[in-house]
Structures are given as C-alpha cells and as structure tokens.
Amino acid sequence: MKIFKKLIVLLILLLILFFAGMRLYVEVYGKDLIEEALASALKRSVTLGKVSYHFPLGLRAQDIRVAQTPEGGNSFGAQDIVLQLSFDAIFQRQFVFDSVIFVKPLVVIEKIKKSEDIPDEEARRYGVVVPPDGSVLPAPDSASDGEKNLSNDKQAGVFIKQLVFKQGRFQYTNRSIDQDFSFSMEDVYLNAEQVSLPLRAGRTDFNVSGRLVKKGNPLSGSSVQGDGWADIVQRNMEAKIEIIEADGSVGMTAQAVSKNNDMQVQGEVKFQSLFMEKEKEAVSDDSSAVNQLIFDALSSAGVNI
C-alpha cells in the first residue's frame, strides 16, 4: 500500500515538473517557434505579441499579424489566438494541433485587377501546394481519412484538427470589375475541421455564421448561416446557406455545389425587405422566375454574375 502511495506521489511530481517545463519552454521559445511555423506554412511574415502558456499543451498569443502579399490585397490579424498542440505531433514531422482558436480575427480579401507585369503564381501568392506530377490528392470521405493522408505526407507544415473563429470580421472587396463591389460580415463564427497549411487538396468540413453589413443594401443586418464541406485547392464544394432577416424569417435558402470550379446554385427567395407580396406570389410556383429573381437581386447588390 505504501509503495502504491509513493508511486502516486512520484507521478504527481513528474506531472508538475512536466507542465512547469512546458510553461518555461513556451515563455522562452514559444513565440519564435510559432512565428516560424506559421510563416513557413503561409509563405508570409507572421508576428505575435505577448505569448503565454495555456494548459495542457498549448499557448495563448496576443496581437497576431499576417503580412500582405507583395501584390497587396489580402491581410489577416486577430486579437488573440489559443493553440493546443496534439500528442500526434510527437510522432510526425509537422505541427499537429488539436485546436486553433482565433478571437476577434479580421480577414480582409481584396481582388484587384491583374497587372500584365506580374505573373499569376498562385503557389507563391497563397502557399497552395500542388503535387509536382500534376496529379491530385482525392478529398477524404472522413476525418480519419484526412489524418491518414496527412500522416503519409510530410510536406504539410501545419495540420489543424479544429479551426475556430470567434467574434470575427470579414471584409471583401472586388476591384477587378468595372464597378467596385464590397461587403462585410461581423460577429463571424467559423468552425472548420481538418485544415492543412499550406493548403492541400482534401475535404474540410465547416459551419459558419455572421451578420451582413453593407451600407445602402437591403440585406444589411441579415444573418448568414451555412455549413458543408470544401476542397479549396480542387475548387470542389457542397454547402447549404440561409440568410435570415432581422425579424427572424428566412429570407433565402441556397444549395451550392461546385466541382472543378464549376458551381451550380439552387435556392428559394422570400425576402420581405426586397420584394412586394404580389411579386412573391407570382414566382412561388415558377422555378425559372425564382432563378431570375435571385439573379436580379444579386445584380442590384453589385454582384458580378
């Protein structure tokens, strides 16, 4: 019995020493280590503010900044980030995180007109990894398949099992068309599973919600909810999206399916703020009229279709 108690005490002491060592290691090396890993994965300069230990195998960093590309446009920042390292990282060559949580992130995407002097090198601009032989990696059917693919491929620098955005803000601007188009989303919540950086062909399940903000647009103030999966590299996606008006009624539902960047969208429009009652009655039984109504509504909002 005494031996058993001694073993328990010894185990507790070892755990205390382990976590004390983790805290010291994070405070001394954590900032440089994470900055280097993220910069390598994103192909951009990354800076972190104050870094502290977060139980059990994680760290918390403040004031995250990801530099713009040489061409300008896209940028990213966040007030806080909490990372939890996975025990799987011990057996693999890349960083594997059980979770990465961004608090109050700001994502800015700006699509600009291409300059003839600047080649469109997607791999350099976004850090997308494409197999050298031109073949593609199939999208996994489940999370376990995704982890198997990652463990067999040591080129991936960072693998995140769960990526979360809380209280985020998203800004999109398209300056590549004749008339600039822009919109914002506030109070964005995003949960994505199986994310690898640099981006690789593979399935990422997600759900997202937020509030549309665009001055002068009748949809401003409406909530957006969506879920599905996407393969960004192969341009494949299946998603369901709902836009909910301020009074709680569902203004629009849409089902989007994309294969090799060829997208088809089907949906239903019921916006009280956009259409008169008689217009809704006129299109309720006519799918072609519904499609035209969606087209006209998006066009009036400035979307290039």
Side-chain angles (χ1 to χ4, degrees):
M1 192 69 177
K2 290 182 178 181
I3 296 177
F4 179 73
K5 289 182 178 179
K6 289 181 180 180
L7 288 174
I8 294 296
V9 171
L10 180 61
L11 179 61
I12 293 174
L13 289 174
L14 288 174
L15 288 174
I16 292 174
L17 288 173
F18 173 77
F19 290 117
M22 282 288 299
R23 182 186 183 114
L24 180 62
Y25 183 84
V26 166
E27 292 181 353
V28 175
Y29 300 106
K31 183 175 182 293
D32 293 338
L33 198 64
I34 297 301
E35 283 181 347
E36 182 180 351
L38 292 177
S40 175
L42 298 173
K43 310 300 183 186
R44 303 189 195 179
S45 174
V46 178
T47 58
L48 303 177
K50 182 181 178 182
V51 174
S52 58
Y53 172 71
H54 194 270
F55 183 84
L57 295 178
L59 61 82
R60 177 188 295 272
Q62 298 177 348
D63 193 22
I64 301 93
R65 293 289 181 268
V66 179
Q68 289 185 330
T69 63
E71 298 82 3
N74 305 341
S75 63
F76 177 82
Q79 177 178 296
D80 292 288
I81 179 175
V82 179
L83 308 96
Q84 282 292 344
L85 193 67
S86 173
F87 284 104
D88 295 343
I90 300 174
F91 309 103
Q92 301 184 27
R93 296 183 188 176
Q94 67 283 327
F95 286 96
V96 180
F97 293 97
D98 283 332
S99 65
V100 174
I101 302 173
F102 289 97
V103 180
K104 293 186 177 180
L106 171 61
V107 180
V108 178
I109 296 179
E110 184 177 9
K111 189 175 181 181
I112 58 179
K113 291 183 179 180
K114 295 180 181 179
S115 171
E116 295 180 359
D117 298 329
I118 301 176
D120 186 15
E121 298 178 14
E122 190 175 38
R124 176 175 64 87
R125 183 178 298 177
Y126 300 108
V128 177
V129 176
V130 179
D133 60 357
S135 60
V136 297
L137 300 177
D141 294 328
S142 65
S144 59
D145 291 338
E147 294 184 33
K148 288 179 181 179
N149 285 345
L150 181 70
S151 63
N152 292 330
D153 187 358
K154 305 302 182 182
Q155 293 182 4
V158 175
F159 180 64
I160 303 169
K161 296 181 180 180
Q162 182 182 35
L163 176 66
V164 177
F165 283 12
K166 292 182 177 180
Q167 298 175 287
R169 181 177 174 85
F170 174 80
Q171 297 177 355
Y172 174 82
T173 302
N174 188 346
R175 303 186 189 280
S176 65
I177 54 180
D178 294 336
Q179 182 180 2
D180 290 355
F181 168 69
S182 65
F183 73 91
S184 298
M185 285 183 63
E186 294 182 346
D187 301 325
V188 175
Y189 174 84
L190 168 69
N191 182 83
E193 299 179 353
Q194 313 303 319
V195 179
S196 58
L197 298 172
L199 295 174
R200 298 191 60 81
R203 171 172 172 156
T204 296
D205 295 304
F206 68 89
N207 62 76
V208 63
S209 63
R211 180 168 53 87
L212 284 171
V213 179
K214 181 173 171 60
K215 186 177 180 180
N217 190 301
L219 302 186
S220 184
S222 300
S223 298
V224 178
Q225 297 180 356
D227 62 82
W229 67 269
D231 181 345
I232 298 177
V233 174
Q234 298 302 317
R235 308 296 192 270
N236 298 329
M237 181 183 73
E238 289 185 12
K240 180 181 179 181
I241 302 170
E242 288 186 343
I243 298 182
I244 302 173
E245 296 186 82
D247 62 2
S249 61
V250 178
M252 186 183 81
T253 60
Q255 186 79 26
V257 178
S258 175
K259 187 173 183 180
N260 297 326
N261 208 28
D262 181 13
M263 179 174 289
Q264 295 182 349
V265 180
Q266 294 180 338
E268 182 181 9
V269 175
K270 304 177 183 177
F271 286 118
Q272 299 285 346
S273 57
L274 285 181
F275 311 115
M276 300 297 293
E277 188 66 27
K278 62 179 183 179
E279 290 177 314
K280 293 189 297 177
E281 292 175 358
V283 300
S284 60
D285 296 323
D286 187 347
S287 61
S288 62
V290 170
N291 293 338
Q292 186 61 41
L293 202 54
I294 295 174
F295 180 90
D296 292 341
L298 295 176
S299 296
S300 66
V303 179
N304 186 34
I305 304 176

Short mmCIF file of all heavy atoms in Angstrom, two decimals, residues 35 38-48 63-78 106-109 124-127:
data_model
loop_
_atom_site.label_atom_id
_atom_site.label_comp_id
_atom_site.label_asym_id
_atom_site.label_seq_id
_atom_site.Cartn_x
_atom_site.Cartn_y
_atom_site.Cartn_z
N GLU A 35 5.84 31.64 -34.69
CA GLU A 35 6.02 32.57 -35.80
C GLU A 35 6.69 31.90 -36.98
O GLU A 35 6.28 32.07 -38.13
CB GLU A 35 6.85 33.78 -35.35
CG GLU A 35 6.10 34.79 -34.52
CD GLU A 35 6.96 35.97 -34.12
OE1 GLU A 35 8.20 35.87 -34.27
OE2 GLU A 35 6.42 36.98 -33.65
N LEU A 38 4.18 29.24 -38.63
CA LEU A 38 3.11 29.87 -39.41
C LEU A 38 3.65 30.58 -40.65
O LEU A 38 3.04 30.54 -41.72
CB LEU A 38 2.34 30.86 -38.53
CG LEU A 38 1.50 30.26 -37.40
CD1 LEU A 38 0.84 31.35 -36.57
CD2 LEU A 38 0.44 29.32 -37.96
N ALA A 39 4.80 31.23 -40.52
CA ALA A 39 5.39 31.91 -41.67
C ALA A 39 5.75 30.91 -42.76
O ALA A 39 5.56 31.16 -43.95
CB ALA A 39 6.63 32.70 -41.24
N SER A 40 6.27 29.74 -42.35
CA SER A 40 6.62 28.70 -43.32
C SER A 40 5.38 28.14 -44.00
O SER A 40 5.38 27.88 -45.20
CB SER A 40 7.39 27.58 -42.61
OG SER A 40 7.65 26.51 -43.49
N ALA A 41 4.30 27.98 -43.24
CA ALA A 41 3.07 27.40 -43.80
C ALA A 41 2.33 28.39 -44.68
O ALA A 41 1.79 28.02 -45.72
CB ALA A 41 2.16 26.92 -42.67
N LEU A 42 2.30 29.66 -44.29
CA LEU A 42 1.53 30.66 -45.02
C LEU A 42 2.32 31.38 -46.10
O LEU A 42 1.76 32.13 -46.90
CB LEU A 42 0.98 31.70 -44.03
CG LEU A 42 0.01 31.19 -42.97
CD1 LEU A 42 -0.32 32.28 -41.97
CD2 LEU A 42 -1.26 30.65 -43.60
N LYS A 43 3.66 31.18 -46.11
CA LYS A 43 4.52 31.86 -47.07
C LYS A 43 4.46 33.38 -46.90
O LYS A 43 4.58 34.14 -47.86
CB LYS A 43 4.15 31.50 -48.52
CG LYS A 43 4.02 30.00 -48.78
CD LYS A 43 5.29 29.26 -48.49
CE LYS A 43 5.15 27.79 -48.83
NZ LYS A 43 6.33 27.00 -48.43
N ARG A 44 4.26 33.83 -45.68
CA ARG A 44 4.22 35.25 -45.38
C ARG A 44 4.84 35.49 -44.00
O ARG A 44 4.92 34.58 -43.17
CB ARG A 44 2.79 35.78 -45.36
CG ARG A 44 2.01 35.56 -46.64
CD ARG A 44 0.70 36.31 -46.58
NE ARG A 44 -0.22 35.88 -47.61
CZ ARG A 44 -1.44 36.37 -47.75
NH1 ARG A 44 -1.86 37.31 -46.94
NH2 ARG A 44 -2.23 35.94 -48.71
N SER A 45 5.22 36.72 -43.76
CA SER A 45 5.74 37.09 -42.45
C SER A 45 4.61 37.12 -41.43
O SER A 45 3.53 37.64 -41.69
CB SER A 45 6.41 38.47 -42.54
OG SER A 45 6.79 38.91 -41.25
N VAL A 46 4.86 36.52 -40.25
CA VAL A 46 3.88 36.46 -39.18
C VAL A 46 4.50 37.00 -37.90
O VAL A 46 5.63 36.64 -37.55
CB VAL A 46 3.39 35.01 -38.94
CG1 VAL A 46 2.41 34.96 -37.77
CG2 VAL A 46 2.75 34.44 -40.20
N THR A 47 3.78 37.87 -37.21
CA THR A 47 4.28 38.41 -35.95
C THR A 47 3.24 38.18 -34.85
O THR A 47 2.03 38.27 -35.09
CB THR A 47 4.57 39.92 -36.05
OG1 THR A 47 3.39 40.61 -36.44
CG2 THR A 47 5.67 40.18 -37.06
N LEU A 48 3.72 37.86 -33.66
CA LEU A 48 2.88 37.65 -32.49
C LEU A 48 3.28 38.64 -31.40
O LEU A 48 4.44 39.06 -31.33
CB LEU A 48 3.02 36.22 -31.96
CG LEU A 48 2.73 35.07 -32.91
CD1 LEU A 48 2.98 33.74 -32.21
CD2 LEU A 48 1.30 35.12 -33.41
N ASP A 63 -2.33 39.79 -30.31
CA ASP A 63 -1.98 40.69 -31.41
C ASP A 63 -1.25 39.97 -32.54
O ASP A 63 -0.06 40.19 -32.79
CB ASP A 63 -1.13 41.84 -30.89
CG ASP A 63 -1.00 42.97 -31.90
OD1 ASP A 63 -1.87 43.07 -32.79
OD2 ASP A 63 -0.02 43.73 -31.83
N ILE A 64 -1.98 39.09 -33.25
CA ILE A 64 -1.41 38.34 -34.38
C ILE A 64 -1.55 39.16 -35.64
O ILE A 64 -2.61 39.72 -35.92
CB ILE A 64 -2.13 36.99 -34.55
CG1 ILE A 64 -2.02 36.16 -33.28
CG2 ILE A 64 -1.59 36.22 -35.73
CD1 ILE A 64 -3.17 36.34 -32.33
N ARG A 65 -0.48 39.21 -36.43
CA ARG A 65 -0.50 39.94 -37.69
C ARG A 65 0.17 39.10 -38.77
O ARG A 65 1.29 38.62 -38.59
CB ARG A 65 0.25 41.28 -37.57
CG ARG A 65 -0.44 42.28 -36.66
CD ARG A 65 -1.72 42.82 -37.29
NE ARG A 65 -2.37 43.80 -36.43
CZ ARG A 65 -3.30 43.51 -35.54
NH1 ARG A 65 -3.67 42.25 -35.38
NH2 ARG A 65 -3.87 44.45 -34.80
N VAL A 66 -0.55 38.91 -39.90
CA VAL A 66 0.00 38.22 -41.06
C VAL A 66 0.19 39.26 -42.15
O VAL A 66 -0.77 39.94 -42.54
CB VAL A 66 -0.93 37.08 -41.55
CG1 VAL A 66 -0.34 36.40 -42.77
CG2 VAL A 66 -1.16 36.08 -40.42
N ALA A 67 1.40 39.38 -42.66
CA ALA A 67 1.72 40.42 -43.64
C ALA A 67 0.99 40.19 -44.95
O ALA A 67 0.64 39.06 -45.31
CB ALA A 67 3.22 40.48 -43.88
N GLN A 68 0.76 41.28 -45.69
CA GLN A 68 0.16 41.19 -47.01
C GLN A 68 1.13 40.55 -47.99
O GLN A 68 2.34 40.48 -47.75
CB GLN A 68 -0.22 42.58 -47.51
CG GLN A 68 -1.40 43.20 -46.80
CD GLN A 68 -1.81 44.52 -47.43
OE1 GLN A 68 -0.98 45.23 -47.98
NE2 GLN A 68 -3.08 44.84 -47.36
N THR A 69 0.58 40.08 -49.11
CA THR A 69 1.42 39.58 -50.19
C THR A 69 2.13 40.76 -50.85
O THR A 69 1.74 41.91 -50.67
CB THR A 69 0.55 38.87 -51.25
OG1 THR A 69 -0.33 39.84 -51.82
CG2 THR A 69 -0.24 37.74 -50.64
N PRO A 70 3.19 40.50 -51.64
CA PRO A 70 3.87 41.60 -52.34
C PRO A 70 2.92 42.39 -53.23
O PRO A 70 3.14 43.57 -53.48
CB PRO A 70 4.93 40.86 -53.18
CG PRO A 70 5.20 39.61 -52.44
CD PRO A 70 3.88 39.22 -51.84
N GLU A 71 1.86 41.75 -53.72
CA GLU A 71 0.90 42.43 -54.57
C GLU A 71 -0.13 43.22 -53.78
O GLU A 71 -0.96 43.91 -54.35
CB GLU A 71 0.17 41.42 -55.48
CG GLU A 71 1.06 40.66 -56.43
CD GLU A 71 1.74 39.47 -55.76
OE1 GLU A 71 1.46 39.21 -54.57
OE2 GLU A 71 2.56 38.82 -56.42
N GLY A 72 -0.10 43.11 -52.43
CA GLY A 72 -1.10 43.78 -51.61
C GLY A 72 -2.37 42.96 -51.55
O GLY A 72 -2.41 41.78 -51.90
N GLY A 73 -3.46 43.58 -51.10
CA GLY A 73 -4.74 42.89 -51.08
C GLY A 73 -5.02 42.21 -49.77
O GLY A 73 -5.30 42.86 -48.77
N ASN A 74 -4.92 40.88 -49.72
CA ASN A 74 -5.36 40.10 -48.58
C ASN A 74 -4.51 40.38 -47.34
O ASN A 74 -3.30 40.54 -47.42
CB ASN A 74 -5.30 38.61 -48.90
CG ASN A 74 -6.08 38.27 -50.15
OD1 ASN A 74 -6.93 39.03 -50.59
ND2 ASN A 74 -5.78 37.12 -50.74
N SER A 75 -5.17 40.41 -46.17
CA SER A 75 -4.46 40.56 -44.91
C SER A 75 -5.25 39.86 -43.82
O SER A 75 -6.45 39.58 -43.98
CB SER A 75 -4.24 42.03 -44.57
OG SER A 75 -5.48 42.69 -44.37
N PHE A 76 -4.58 39.60 -42.70
CA PHE A 76 -5.21 38.88 -41.60
C PHE A 76 -4.60 39.33 -40.28
O PHE A 76 -3.41 39.58 -40.19
CB PHE A 76 -5.03 37.37 -41.76
CG PHE A 76 -5.59 36.57 -40.62
CD1 PHE A 76 -6.94 36.27 -40.57
CD2 PHE A 76 -4.78 36.14 -39.59
CE1 PHE A 76 -7.48 35.55 -39.51
CE2 PHE A 76 -5.30 35.42 -38.52
CZ PHE A 76 -6.65 35.12 -38.49
N GLY A 77 -5.45 39.44 -39.27
CA GLY A 77 -4.99 39.76 -37.93
C GLY A 77 -6.00 39.25 -36.93
O GLY A 77 -7.14 38.92 -37.28
N ALA A 78 -5.61 39.16 -35.66
CA ALA A 78 -6.51 38.71 -34.62
C ALA A 78 -6.05 39.25 -33.28
O ALA A 78 -4.86 39.50 -33.06
CB ALA A 78 -6.58 37.18 -34.56
N LEU A 106 -9.68 39.51 -37.95
CA LEU A 106 -10.07 40.38 -39.05
C LEU A 106 -9.47 39.83 -40.33
O LEU A 106 -8.25 39.75 -40.46
CB LEU A 106 -9.58 41.82 -38.82
CG LEU A 106 -9.75 42.79 -40.00
CD1 LEU A 106 -11.23 42.93 -40.37
CD2 LEU A 106 -9.14 44.14 -39.69
N VAL A 107 -10.33 39.42 -41.27
CA VAL A 107 -9.90 38.87 -42.55
C VAL A 107 -10.29 39.86 -43.64
O VAL A 107 -11.46 40.23 -43.77
CB VAL A 107 -10.56 37.50 -42.82
CG1 VAL A 107 -10.08 36.94 -44.17
CG2 VAL A 107 -10.25 36.53 -41.70
N VAL A 108 -9.30 40.32 -44.40
CA VAL A 108 -9.55 41.27 -45.49
C VAL A 108 -9.12 40.62 -46.80
O VAL A 108 -7.96 40.21 -46.95
CB VAL A 108 -8.77 42.58 -45.28
CG1 VAL A 108 -9.01 43.53 -46.46
CG2 VAL A 108 -9.19 43.24 -43.98
N ILE A 109 -10.05 40.49 -47.74
CA ILE A 109 -9.77 39.95 -49.07
C ILE A 109 -10.10 41.02 -50.10
O ILE A 109 -11.22 41.52 -50.14
CB ILE A 109 -10.57 38.66 -49.34
CG1 ILE A 109 -10.14 37.56 -48.37
CG2 ILE A 109 -10.38 38.20 -50.79
CD1 ILE A 109 -10.90 36.26 -48.55
N ARG A 124 2.95 30.81 -55.09
CA ARG A 124 3.74 31.80 -54.35
C ARG A 124 2.82 32.74 -53.57
O ARG A 124 3.12 33.14 -52.46
CB ARG A 124 4.60 32.62 -55.32
CG ARG A 124 5.39 33.74 -54.65
CD ARG A 124 6.30 34.41 -55.65
NE ARG A 124 5.54 35.07 -56.71
CZ ARG A 124 5.07 36.32 -56.61
NH1 ARG A 124 5.27 37.00 -55.51
NH2 ARG A 124 4.40 36.86 -57.60
N ARG A 125 1.68 33.07 -54.15
CA ARG A 125 0.81 34.07 -53.52
C ARG A 125 0.06 33.51 -52.33
O ARG A 125 -0.06 34.16 -51.30
CB ARG A 125 -0.18 34.59 -54.56
CG ARG A 125 -1.08 35.70 -54.01
CD ARG A 125 -2.02 36.22 -55.08
NE ARG A 125 -1.30 36.81 -56.20
CZ ARG A 125 -1.91 37.27 -57.29
NH1 ARG A 125 -3.21 37.18 -57.41
NH2 ARG A 125 -1.22 37.81 -58.27
N TYR A 126 -0.44 32.30 -52.43
CA TYR A 126 -1.29 31.76 -51.38
C TYR A 126 -0.68 30.57 -50.65
O TYR A 126 -1.25 30.07 -49.71
CB TYR A 126 -2.65 31.35 -51.95
CG TYR A 126 -3.39 32.50 -52.58
CD1 TYR A 126 -3.53 32.58 -53.96
CD2 TYR A 126 -3.90 33.51 -51.80
CE1 TYR A 126 -4.21 33.64 -54.53
CE2 TYR A 126 -4.57 34.58 -52.37
CZ TYR A 126 -4.73 34.64 -53.74
OH TYR A 126 -5.39 35.68 -54.30
N GLY A 127 0.46 30.08 -51.09
CA GLY A 127 1.07 28.95 -50.43
C GLY A 127 0.36 27.64 -50.70
O GLY A 127 0.38 26.74 -49.88
#
